[in-house]
Amino acid sequence: MSGERSAPGGGADRPVPRSATGRLSTGGSAGRSAGSGGSGAAVGEATVGVARTGVCFALELALDAVASAAGLSPETVRFRNLVRPEQMPFDNITNKHFDSGDYPQALRRALETIDADAVRARQRKGEPDGRRIGLGLAIYCEQSAHGTSVYAGWGIPMVPGREQASARLTPDGGLELRIGLHSHGQGLETTLAQVAHEILGVPVAQIRIVLGDTAMTPYSTGTWGSRAMVMAGGAVAAACRELSERATRIGAHLIQAQPADARFENGRVLGPSGEVSLATIARTWYRRPQDLPADVDAGGLEATSGYKPARDSGVFSYAAHAVAVAVDPDLGEVEILDYVVVEDGGVLVNPLIVDGQIYGGLTQGVGTALYEEMLFDAAGQPQASTFADYLLPGAPEAPAARIVHMETASPYTEFGAKGVGEGGAIAPPAAIANAVNDALRPLGAELRHSPITPRRIVEAVLAARSVAAERKAAS
Amino acid sequence: MKPARFVMERPRDLAAALSMIAGAGGATKIMAGGQSLGPMLNLRLVEPDRVIDISGVPELRRTDRANGSLVIGACVTHADIEDGRIPDVANGMMARVAAGIAYRAVRNRGTIGGSLAHADPAADWVSALTALGAEVEIASRARNSRRIAIGEFVVGALDVALAADELVTAVCVPVLPSSARWGYVKHCRKVGEFAEAIGAVVIDPELGRGRAVIGAVEAAPVVIEDARILFGGAIGPSFAERFDAPAADSLLAAAGMSDPIDRHVHVTVLRRAIGQASVQGSAKVRDAA
């Protein structure tokens, strides 16, 4: 959704990158110019982690450049600059309010898990096949579920308010949840049912989810900005709590208790002289209303409620990525030997689903780092108009990553949850570029553009070799 | 996308196939596995009126030994070769090359003759079979069948010396002497992609001769029929140490490869193919295969 446009240029006889899409650069010029419309070159499209991937790439490559210039390890520079947990919540110089987190611990765990010492020992030893080993780090944060105040401040048309959810008990004791936003495949059907189960105790198998249909659900601005779990999860919790209160008032009649003496617990209403299940309450309300007194709560067993976090400036999930690569300097091939993600997404509703989101994001990030590129020839003809030419990572290219979870609760959200939908894709281009540069640094070669194609690596290595040869000749 | 409308025919035997091809009017394409033609049809890069699918012709799936060669039917699949369902006459090279073609799903259907007739410069068989000194057998209804060397058959990118009424029926691979060693290295962007560069060599240090091929060059491969020029004029036991990279670089420049990075990558894969051949204890490799 960056809306960046690029203009066709002339003169180059090889296909040259013209589009910002799928390409990152720490430089200011190549391929990033904002051109006039009507060029026929591709325009940026909606993606995950909008703009974050490029920011992370620039920032993390700069940190490695600082480390290299100062003769420090990349982690030393980062440890010195990361916000410490005792500084949380932390307002940075651009007035971003970081709610919680322990960034240094994430980096420490990433270094331990990938065994940075062993990777560097192997790097010093050298490979029998002449490839070079590199270790790369990258840390990012993912501002998630940022709401009204942020978007109103930015002055953009779409400003989200409170997310709403409807919860309804059915005569068989099941539960229907109606939510305006939608699942893109990230398993909201499961995680939102878990939230309802947490509040009402209804078995997940008896919960039906209806998403994203204004004929049946509340309105919503939708699933974006890593907001669904925090916003819809909070709304489901609020609606289920409201429903539990109604069920308690009805259930109290069935156990001859004053509503004030009854309480709701684990799917049952308990009173001084007995208890009754939600299923019985539902069956009575719908099928045996004659068992209920005339002054029963007429609102019944349906509730719609809304939610936004106590503070709507966003809650920050984050991760430290560490990757070990082997780089073939003569052919430019990059093999990912190991990949570690230490992710802190707040309190996780479902770690397995979060793993899936991280794996998916990581694979997309590997594509950005090594493969995906929209090239145009000198006449403006797109050179990658099918997947035969636009390379995506396939199963063999997806790293067998190891994921470590941290769970620092957000002080502002229901359950302490944070959004994690986009993060996996943000750091891989930076981490992989830093790893490739770590591998090639002794040769004097450095890559600053994504994708890091074999050709770009060979180009950089050959250029560095000829510089070295000239120096040698001059001395 | 879906292909444009075409008529599909499946001849039952070779005579029927040759008749259909001879009688074909308009644009006709022969399908021998469809692993390249299929996507090309779907992308409408080709829009034939008629497709003749020869994969069911039994004569084209046979393999025979004749006069020091293995005659491999055009419709023998890459997987047949990978899995050893045809005899090994190349000290294991054919199986190794086959196993590296695209993905297994492609190898299950794609055929050796189809690949050669398609003549994608980045295809494995075009380079590997040239290094082995193989020939193609060509038949037509009107004339006697003929054999020509792969180097003469593949005249350019996607361009072969085949008349409109002719069909590739077999590939004839000469039996490699046990003293011969081979190397085959390709460089791809990712698993299953077409090669960016191929180096294929067959070298016999005992006889002091060899052939080298530099493939995936956007045209017919660069064939070094007498590879001694890559080794300072002679091929001996320590040939890999005598590899003359500037000589290979000059050959590529002379063949029109103007980009120095392309040349570096192609010379590198050739060097590695030669290195692979040099460490090959030929007896040991035969045992392993």
Side-chain angles (χ1 to χ4, degrees), chain A residues 328 330 333 392 455 459, chain B residues 187 190 259 261 264 272:
Chain A
D328 181 333
D330 281 297
E333 291 173 2
L392 290 166
R455 184 182 172 86
E459 231 162 18
Chain B
H187 166 55
K190 58 173 209 158
D259 180 63
I261 294 186
H264 175 81
R272 291 187 188 175

Side-chain angles (χ1 to χ4, degrees), chain A residues 291-350:
Chain A
D291 292 351
L292 294 169
D295 62 346
V296 70
D297 183 346
L301 295 173
E302 296 192 33
T304 297
S305 194
Y307 173 82
K308 77 176 194 175
R311 187 179 166 130
D312 72 358
S313 56
V315 291
F316 287 78
S317 58
Y318 60 95
H321 286 213
V323 56
V325 300
V327 183
D328 181 333
D330 281 297
L331 295 181
E333 291 173 2
V334 175
E335 184 192 352
I336 295 173
L337 302 170
D338 196 7
Y339 204 110
V340 168
V341 177
V342 180
E343 162 96 19
D344 188 344
V347 174
L348 301 181
V349 173
N350 188 319

Side-chain angles (χ1 to χ4, degrees), chain B residues 3-268:
Chain B
R5 190 179 176 83
F6 61 85
V7 174
M8 179 104 166
E9 308 209 57
R10 299 203 77 204
R12 207 175 303 171
D13 55 33
L14 184 56
L18 293 175
S19 293
M20 279 179 195
I21 295 165
T28 296
K29 273 282 176 189
I30 295 165
M31 185 181 279
Q35 299 307 291
S36 293
L37 183 57
M40 289 171 73
L41 288 166
N42 283 348
L43 291 168
R44 301 200 181 193
L45 293 172
V46 288
E47 294 188 31
D49 304 315
R50 195 154 78 137
V51 171
I52 300 174
D53 176 8
I54 58 168
S55 59
V57 173
E59 295 97 315
L60 301 178
R61 305 201 69 121
R62 282 207 296 259
T63 301
D64 300 300
R65 265 177 195 271
N67 304 326
S69 287
L70 185 69
V71 181
I72 303 168
C75 289
V76 168
T77 64
H78 313 313
D80 288 333
I81 300 167
E82 175 183 14
D83 297 348
R85 282 190 290 276
I86 66 160
D88 173 23
V89 296
N91 300 346
M93 181 174 178
M94 298 276 291
R96 182 80 66 83
V97 170
I101 296 172
Y103 301 95
R104 179 71 194 195
V106 169
R107 303 198 288 271
N108 282 338
R109 283 179 173 271
T111 61
I112 189 168
S115 175
L116 282 174
H118 181 54
D120 190 309
D124 296 81
W125 287 132
V126 170
S127 292
L129 290 168
T130 305
L132 282 166
E135 296 177 320
V136 286
E137 189 174 85
I138 295 167
S140 65
R141 191 178 62 176
R143 297 177 296 279
N144 290 333
S145 69
R146 62 188 176 107
R147 283 188 184 186
I148 58 171
I150 306 245
E152 291 165 46
F153 175 67
V154 177
V155 294
L158 309 177
D159 194 6
V160 292
L162 199 63
D165 66 340
E166 287 183 320
L167 180 69
V168 173
T169 52
V171 180
C172 311
V173 180
V175 176
L176 213 56
S178 61
S179 54
R181 300 162 178 209
W182 56 269
Y184 185 79
V185 173
K186 69 170 167 173
H187 166 55
C188 302
R189 287 284 311 270
K190 58 173 209 158
V191 173
E193 282 299 309
F194 272 108
E196 305 270 309
I198 291 174
V201 298
V202 174
I203 291 172
D204 194 329
E206 284 181 28
L207 299 175
R209 65 188 188 204
R211 190 184 289 108
V213 177
I214 305 170
V217 296
E218 298 186 354
V222 175
V223 184
I224 302 142
E225 198 60 48
D226 181 350
R228 285 180 299 181
I229 56 163
L230 295 174
F231 304 99
I235 292 175
S238 57
F239 60 89
E241 292 156 29
R242 302 167 62 91
F243 174 58
D244 182 356
D249 188 75
S250 307
L251 287 169
L252 285 170
M257 193 182 285
S258 56
D259 180 63
I261 294 186
D262 274 352
R263 289 205 303 276
H264 175 81
V265 167
H266 282 83
V267 171
T268 300

Side-chain angles (χ1 to χ4, degrees), chain A residues 147-175:
Chain A
T148 314
S149 64
V150 175
Y151 286 93
W154 286 347
I156 63 171
M158 186 170 67
V159 180
R162 282 165 180 76
E163 189 71 20
Q164 291 180 302
S166 298
R168 172 160 87 181
L169 278 174
T170 52
D172 60 355
L175 180 72

Side-chain angles (χ1 to χ4, degrees), chain A residues 219-238:
Chain A
Y219 275 75
S220 171
T221 54
T223 299
W224 52 277
S226 296
R227 67 190 295 277
M229 199 61 246
V230 170
M231 300 302 293
V236 165

